[in-house]
Amino acid sequence: MAAVIRVEALERVYRIGPVSVPALRGLDFAVPAGQMVAIMGPSGSGKSTLLNLLGCLDRPTAGRYFLAGDDVAHKSSDELAEVRNRRIGFVFQNYNLLPQLTAFENVELPLVYGRVGRAERHRRADEALAAVGLADRRRHHPMELSGGQQQRVGIARAIVGRPDVILADEPTGNLDSVSGNDVLQLFHALHEGGSTIVIVTHDEEVARHCQRIIRLHDGQLVRDDEAPARNLTATGEEAEPC
Amino acid sequence: MLIDSLRMAWRSLAANTARALLTMLGIIIGVAAVIALVSVGQAATQSVTAKVENLGSNMIVVVPNQAQGVTLHVADGNWLLATVPQISAVAPLLEGGVMSRYGTKTWSTTLLGTTPPSEQIQGRSMSAGRYLVGSDVQLRRQVAVLGATTEQNLFGGLNPIGRTIQVDGMPLIVVGVMNQSGGAGITSNPDDEIVTPVTVAEQILHTNNVAAFMTEARSSDLAPLAVGHLQAVMSRRFRSSTAAEVVSEDQVLKTLASLTGTLTVMLGGIAGISLLVGGIGIMNIMLVTVSERTREIGLRKAIGAKRSAVALQFLIESGILSLGGGAVGGALGYAGALTFTSALHWPSGTSLSTVLLALVFSVAVGVVFGMWPALRASRLDPIEALRQG
């Protein structure tokens, strides 16, 4: 299978005044299309830095990053904005929905910036909301939705642009175990539909749902385990509170 | 894209209506002040200009300097007419404040004693009855011609012709009423005066010293020459260069017009400062908005908003604030100016160009002062922005 994500000797060094702080020290790995991967590591291990690089929010200090075969390491910030818009779907721990917009308008937003025509936009936003089971909540504002529902709107927004990869940053971190499980089930469904999903988490329970776990420590890849994903259907009770 | 940006900007503003309205208030006051003050100034200029045009511009007034003991009498009119070839008509003017009465109504006004040529020199016309005639002066007929305002106040709709009024105790029969004066007369308010034969006025006012002579130049080209000549003959006769003040009414009004023009510019400038302050208010609030919405900006950038799209959104927000403020302020300023000018019976001074200028200026203020906050928003680092809050 073709790699959706391929990083080669990826480095990121932060300069704080005269001090250089290496956050990533040469990472090499690839994520084939359709894989569901967890990236784990203690705080300070570089997983947030990696997420920012994978999400094209930041540029590496050295090394290369191919996203769907496209070298994105040295693009301008406007070019990166376009890459983010077309190829990446973000899911955030705290949902990051715009409070003044309805669920539907939040989902539609990436397509607005992608200059997708109005009719097509509405069709796809409705489709994405239906896919996360919130077709009946399209006119609700985020404040009128539960945390789990808000995160599902967030996921709808991530998939509406049909991205090459979905990047999730602690997607269940703010949710109780039941809604957290709903969200994980949703990821499974997307995975089964062929989506490539990268979840950054420190929660082993969440990681166990993934096919593969990449562990970072001190900016280096220390373990890369491939494991069959667990069947999720009965895990609601087992899941630990986050 | 632009429609979507407009819609999003509208949503963001609607999310905090009170703040949006308060921010607009600065622009509302600024634009209203500019339009009201400039309009009133223009109305004043137009009103003066209209008087200049109605005047016929040939009237020259000779005012003897009574403080220097220079006195002129009615007969001196003929002397002026004979000595100064550039003038074609002359009329004496005795003037004084009087109390007029008809029945139980009293009215404090100005009495003008003069001769028939003053009708033409001042460009007066009659709405009823007649003006003075030569025999009124010779026979000392106790007759009166009323200004429109005086007639209203004494008779209030009653036909005054043939009725007798008391002026400082002397009975005068009303023989005519003058039309509203489009132009300026010799007195401060040419519509509030009682005109009577000069010979009668001498008795009422207990003086035969003429306050001024109204003369008419043969043509407007000759007017400056006539002014010089009149000045010269008065100086020669009374051996003083300051024996009389000779002014063409034309000059006075033209000076006044340029003065009100300057005033308009000044008022507009002062009002412009308040518009500027309103613009700074917009900038202030937009900066607050940008820092409050750092997360939102980060999110928008993360899902693919380019710098230009973020900047555009905030520019549109400040543009809506200033345009909205400009529209409301424009309406208020227009209404204010209209109320003021109609109360003074001036022409409405608000021109379309004033309104357009104020609107364009207010939008420009919004865009210029919104530029910096918008650029700041567009330059935010999405990682930093998402981390906040």
Side-chain angles (χ1 to χ4, degrees):
Chain A
M1 248 192 280
V4 170
I5 288 173
R6 196 168 88 240
V7 299
E8 294 173 359
L10 198 67
E11 281 182 37
R12 181 68 172 96
V13 179
Y14 292 111
R15 285 179 202 288
I16 303 160
V19 188
S20 292
V21 182
L24 292 178
R25 311 158 183 252
L27 285 186
D28 289 279
F29 68 90
V31 178
Q35 202 170 48
M36 183 160 162
V37 191
I39 294 176
M40 298 200 69
S43 58
S45 62
K47 59 183 196 303
S48 294
T49 303
L50 179 58
L51 184 80
N52 288 340
L53 287 174
L54 292 181
C56 293
L57 293 165
D58 192 11
R59 294 187 199 89
T61 313
R64 308 180 79 181
Y65 172 25
F66 294 92
L67 181 60
D70 192 9
D71 186 354
V72 294
H74 304 289
K75 286 181 184 285
S76 74
S77 54
D78 271 356
E79 284 169 337
L80 285 180
E82 209 167 310
V83 170
R84 291 194 294 270
N85 185 253
R86 298 256 161 90
R87 303 194 176 282
I88 299 169
F90 286 97
V91 178
F92 302 92
Q93 178 172 0
N94 51 13
Y95 332 127
N96 272 332
L97 301 178
L98 297 188
Q100 72 267 32
L101 302 184
T102 62
F104 177 81
E105 288 165 330
N106 267 291
V107 171
E108 176 189 50
L109 206 53
L111 303 181
V112 171
Y113 288 121
R115 293 165 182 265
V116 175
R118 203 177 172 78
E120 170 75 358
R121 217 161 69 197
H122 286 191
R123 196 179 61 72
R124 279 164 67 176
D126 276 331
E127 224 173 74
L129 271 174
V132 300
L134 289 177
D136 56 335
R137 295 281 190 278
R138 64 197 298 278
R139 298 218 171 277
H140 286 59
H141 285 260
M143 294 297 278
E144 300 158 353
L145 299 173
S146 72
Q149 287 172 328
Q150 289 188 50
Q151 189 59 299
R152 275 147 69 194
V153 173
I155 292 170
R157 182 180 62 193
I159 62 174
V160 76
R162 294 169 190 157
D164 292 304
V165 58
I166 295 166
L167 290 180
D169 183 8
E170 301 282 9
T172 60
N174 284 10
L175 300 175
D176 62 61
S177 57
V178 176
S179 340
N181 199 49
D182 284 351
V183 164
L184 285 172
Q185 277 192 342
L186 197 49
F187 277 124
H188 268 282
L190 292 171
H191 175 222
E192 253 134 55
S195 295
T196 310
I197 302 169
V198 176
I199 301 175
V200 172
T201 183
H202 66 274
D203 185 349
E204 293 287 348
E205 183 58 34
V206 172
R208 255 184 282 156
H209 288 281
C210 299
Q211 286 175 296
R212 178 184 175 190
I213 303 176
I214 293 173
R215 289 176 196 274
L216 299 181
H217 196 270
D218 271 350
Q220 285 174 314
L221 199 157
V222 290
R223 267 178 78 183
D224 191 345
D225 297 326
E226 300 239 1
R230 259 168 41 172
N231 187 347
L232 257 185
T233 44
T235 51
E237 269 70 50
E238 287 174 39
E240 288 166 29
C242 302
Chain B
M1 187 69 196
L2 193 68
I3 290 174
D4 293 308
S5 303
L6 275 171
R7 206 163 45 106
M8 280 192 289
W10 180 256
R11 278 305 190 64
S12 304
L13 291 174
N16 204 334
T17 328
R19 175 191 288 183
L21 288 179
L22 283 173
T23 311
M24 269 192 216
L25 197 59
I27 296 292
I28 290 174
I29 292 171
V31 170
V34 168
I35 292 187
L37 291 180
V38 170
S39 299
V40 168
Q42 280 177 345
T45 311
Q46 279 171 21
S47 137
V48 171
T49 312
K51 284 184 177 181
V52 174
E53 280 161 2
N54 283 353
L55 197 63
S57 78
N58 291 348
M59 179 159 74
I60 299 166
V61 180
V62 180
V63 183
N65 191 339
Q66 299 200 32
Q68 280 188 13
V70 175
T71 52
L72 291 175
H73 303 287
V74 176
D76 292 320
N78 291 328
W79 166 68
L80 283 174
L81 203 55
T83 336
V84 181
Q86 295 91 349
I87 59 174
S88 59
V90 66
L93 178 76
L94 264 74
E95 187 187 355
V98 291
M99 187 57 78
S100 59
R101 189 163 66 80
Y102 175 75
T104 54
K105 285 185 189 161
T106 57
W107 183 246
S108 163
T109 183
T110 307
L111 182 74
L112 247 68
T114 186
T115 55
S118 60
E119 179 184 16
Q120 185 217 327
I121 295 173
Q122 290 191 96
R124 302 307 300 254
S125 61
M126 306 303 293
S127 70
R130 62 169 179 87
Y131 198 70
L132 303 179
V133 293
S135 55
D136 291 337
V137 180
Q138 286 146 22
L139 303 175
R140 290 189 190 172
R141 282 203 196 105
Q142 292 175 318
V143 294
V145 177
L146 306 183
T149 307
T150 318
E151 185 237 333
Q152 254 322 300
N153 282 290
L154 281 179
F155 292 96
L158 228 65
N159 180 12
I161 305 295
R163 294 182 196 272
T164 303
I165 58 172
Q166 303 284 330
V167 176
D168 277 4
M170 180 174 291
L172 299 179
I173 298 167
V174 178
V175 294
V177 177
M178 293 179 286
N179 276 320
Q180 288 261 346
S181 157
I186 190 81
T187 53
S188 54
N189 183 352
D191 292 324
D192 186 8
E193 60 188 24
I194 297 174
V195 179
T196 192
V198 66
T199 43
V200 177
E202 282 172 345
Q203 290 179 318
I204 299 174
L205 299 173
H206 307 293
T207 176
N208 53 7
N209 290 341
V210 169
F213 275 106
M214 295 178 264
T215 69
E216 187 174 45
R218 288 186 187 279
S219 73
S220 54
D221 295 340
L222 285 174
L225 211 62
V227 169
H229 205 144
L230 283 165
Q231 190 81 65
V233 298
M234 286 297 290
S235 300
R236 202 176 328 130
R237 175 167 160 188
F238 294 98
R239 297 193 180 81
S240 161
S241 60
T242 55
E245 205 182 331
V246 181
V247 277
S248 75
E249 201 75 350
D250 185 30
Q251 277 170 356
V252 172
L253 290 173
K254 272 180 183 155
T255 311
L256 204 61
S258 85
L259 206 77
T260 54
T262 314
L263 202 68
T264 306
V265 173
M266 257 177 59
L267 288 175
I270 292 168
I273 291 172
S274 66
L275 191 52
L276 204 70
V277 173
I280 294 169
I282 286 191
M283 179 157 69
N284 194 8
I285 284 301
M286 288 312 291
L287 283 174
V288 171
T289 301
V290 166
S291 58
E292 272 181 0
R293 283 157 62 189
T294 304
R295 274 192 87 78
E296 172 188 334
I297 295 162
L299 182 269
R300 287 181 186 275
K301 289 191 138 192
I303 62 172
K306 292 182 182 174
R307 282 181 171 193
S308 53
V310 173
L312 186 67
Q313 186 196 336
F314 283 91
L315 264 189
I316 289 177
E317 283 187 30
S318 53
I320 290 177
L321 286 178
S322 60
L323 183 64
V328 175
L332 285 179
Y334 178 70
L338 208 63
T339 314
F340 191 80
T341 52
S342 66
L344 288 181
H345 301 291
W346 281 357
S348 153
T350 315
S351 56
L352 191 65
S353 62
T354 310
V355 174
L356 282 181
L357 195 75
L359 275 183
V360 168
F361 196 51
S362 67
V363 172
V365 161
V367 171
V368 167
F369 286 97
M371 195 71 86
W372 184 38
L375 284 180
R376 253 173 81 143
S378 76
R379 286 187 187 139
L380 281 177
D381 177 2
I383 299 171
E384 288 297 320
L386 280 171
R387 196 175 290 160
Q388 280 198 14

